[in-house]
Amino acid sequence: MNDRISIAPTRADCSDIEPIHYRKARRELARSRSGYALEQAFYTDADLYRLDIKAVFHNDWVFVANGCEIPQPGDYLTLTIDKAPLIVLRDQDGQLRAFHNSCRHRGSRICEHKKGHTNRLVCPYHQWTYDLNGELLATRYMAQDFDARRFPLKPVQLETLHGMIYICLAETPPDFNHFRDSISSYIAPHQPERTKVVYESTIIEEANWKLVIENNRECYHCSGNHPELLISLVEMALPDDDRNGEEFEIMQQKAQRWDQLGLPHAPVDGGREFRCIRLPFRQGIKSMTLDGELGCKKLLGELTEEDLGSVRAFRIPNNWHHFLSDHILHFRVLPLGPDRTEVRTTWLVHEDAIEGWDYDPERLSTVWRATNDQDRKLAEENHRGICSPGYEPGPYSEVAEFMAINFTDWYRAKLSEFLQRPQDQE
Ligand code: FES
Ligand SMILES: [Fe+2]
């Protein structure tokens, strides 16, 4: 009997998307309604997940990290956006650059570590060697007429905002300037470019990435789930939100003080794509710590006022940030699959702050480590419940979940726009 090789009908994860997926997406989009949670398939279906990657994560600006994590020429970090491995580095001139982490020989991943320092990028497979500009410098045993200039590493678009790195895999990325120009004055006084990471956490949430974002976009769940966070955080999301009587008064007082200090605080009009606002903490609270006291004695930048509330900034599809007087929090969301999402959080203080004197990393990070874990559980339970055959999208609260409505509206519009592109038609 002949041996037979059975080839299972698999679809490569990095293969292109098939027409049936577009039809599925259109059908689900037609069923979904603004103001309601998304249809089940948008959270659970593997084909629609692949569309998310193509329409959103390979097509829009994705937050990577604060550039202070790779301060010296030759410092690099890596990340993976779904299946796309990427390198972000600082070249010999101090400029930040991003490349696909895929060798121009036969495609091997070049950098396997999360972070490192190198003067050359040497592929571990056959040692093709690139400089920090991505130029191919050296190969072995190639033909006499081999022209190395034809095989540089493929660059990826990169922008910075006060040291914060964003990349976009699209050849023609969407505009970044409006976002940068709109929020720059809010975060500039905190000088994120003059900070250092003093605590880092990466957690995996068994939930679709959109549930992680939706959960972040509302504080409807806060009173029932986040005792540590609510020591400092005021649940209202807009200055004229009078759900919190006492806190509403605080907002009026603080706004006057911030005007005197020249610190912008009014909500920025970022449409559905981004949001930025300075909001106060509860009365007498200076920072997001368990006792409400500063988490770092040395304030950021040239700040002298201890209680500045926090600038809260969010940008689709994957990041939100808090800029306080004493520390900064960056949150980065990356999808790993339809039901798996990575959330990386970094805590940053002034670059000259001294551990043990100005700050204690454990104390500084306590509130958000607890909050992240609570949010992980909420998103995972949300995902499990959505998998139920009894799931039917329910309505959001227009008062308490308007940002989740904005997000799902943005998502549907983004996907619709993507499905209408001529090159992506069936
Ligand atoms: S795949 Fe990189 S050198 Fe061969
Ligand atoms: Fe939460």
Side-chain angles (χ1 to χ4, degrees), residues 103-110 123-128 130:
C103 181
R104 292 300 307 278
H105 178 216
R106 286 167 48 202
S108 173
R109 212 163 57 135
I110 298 167
C123 179
Y125 203 170
H126 313 96
Q127 289 75 52
W128 281 28
Y130 304 83

Side-chain angles (χ1 to χ4, degrees), residues 215 221 226 371 375:
N215 177 64
H221 68 270
H226 291 323
T371 305
D375 282 327

Side-chain angles (χ1 to χ4, degrees), residues 75-294:
D75 288 348
Y76 71 85
L77 59 84
T78 63
L79 71 156
T80 306
I81 301 180
D82 183 53
K83 306 289 181 198
L86 299 148
I87 311 168
V88 178
L89 58 76
R90 204 174 282 276
D91 70 17
Q92 296 296 2
D93 298 327
Q95 293 299 309
L96 290 162
R97 291 173 181 264
F99 300 101
H100 287 279
N101 189 3
S102 175
C103 181
R104 292 300 307 278
H105 178 216
R106 286 167 48 202
S108 173
R109 212 163 57 135
I110 298 167
C111 296
E112 61 186 85
H113 300 295
K114 287 272 179 211
K115 265 188 193 173
H117 177 88
T118 185
N119 292 324
R120 298 271 185 273
L121 298 168
V122 182
C123 179
Y125 203 170
H126 313 96
Q127 289 75 52
W128 281 28
T129 301
Y130 304 83
D131 69 13
L132 299 180
N133 300 333
E135 299 300 326
L136 180 57
L137 292 178
T139 60
R140 295 175 301 143
Y141 305 124
M142 297 304 288
Q144 284 261 316
D145 60 351
F146 175 74
D147 184 359
R149 289 170 303 184
R150 289 178 48 218
F151 299 97
L153 290 180
K154 295 236 173 118
V156 170
Q157 305 275 353
L158 182 147
E159 293 279 358
T160 58
L161 169 61
H162 290 282
M164 296 154 59
I165 304 168
Y166 288 79
I167 60 172
C168 180
L169 271 59
E171 279 177 19
T172 313
D175 175 67
F176 190 82
N177 291 334
H178 176 50
F179 171 59
R180 179 167 37 216
D181 295 348
S182 301
I183 82 163
S184 190
S185 63
Y186 287 71
I187 64 174
H190 301 260
Q191 297 191 10
E193 60 275 55
R194 289 183 55 206
T195 57
K196 59 181 177 183
V197 173
V198 296
Y199 200 96
E200 170 186 345
S201 118
T202 300
I203 60 173
I204 305 299
E205 304 194 12
E206 305 289 334
N208 184 270
W209 69 274
K210 295 187 288 297
L211 294 176
V212 176
I213 297 292
E214 281 182 55
N215 177 64
N216 170 260
R217 295 292 73 213
E218 48 91 358
C219 212
Y220 198 18
H221 68 270
C222 289
S223 59
N225 295 280
H226 291 323
E228 298 87 354
L229 184 64
L230 288 188
I231 292 168
S232 58
L233 199 84
V234 171
E235 291 165 82
M236 67 184 182
L238 287 171
D240 56 359
D241 181 344
D242 59 2
R243 275 177 294 160
N244 306 276
E246 187 191 336
E247 283 78 18
F248 183 62
E249 296 292 320
I250 296 171
M251 182 69 214
Q252 310 304 311
Q253 294 162 15
K254 289 293 175 188
Q256 277 185 5
R257 179 62 185 146
W258 296 336
D259 285 338
Q260 287 168 355
L261 294 169
L263 296 173
H265 53 81
V268 167
D269 181 8
R272 293 171 184 151
E273 297 198 337
F274 65 88
R275 168 182 163 83
C276 186
I277 187 171
R278 183 183 295 277
L279 285 170
F281 291 141
R282 292 184 190 278
Q283 191 75 50
I285 299 294
K286 298 172 183 166
S287 188
M288 289 170 149
T289 51
L290 285 180
D291 59 9
E293 290 299 317
L294 292 176

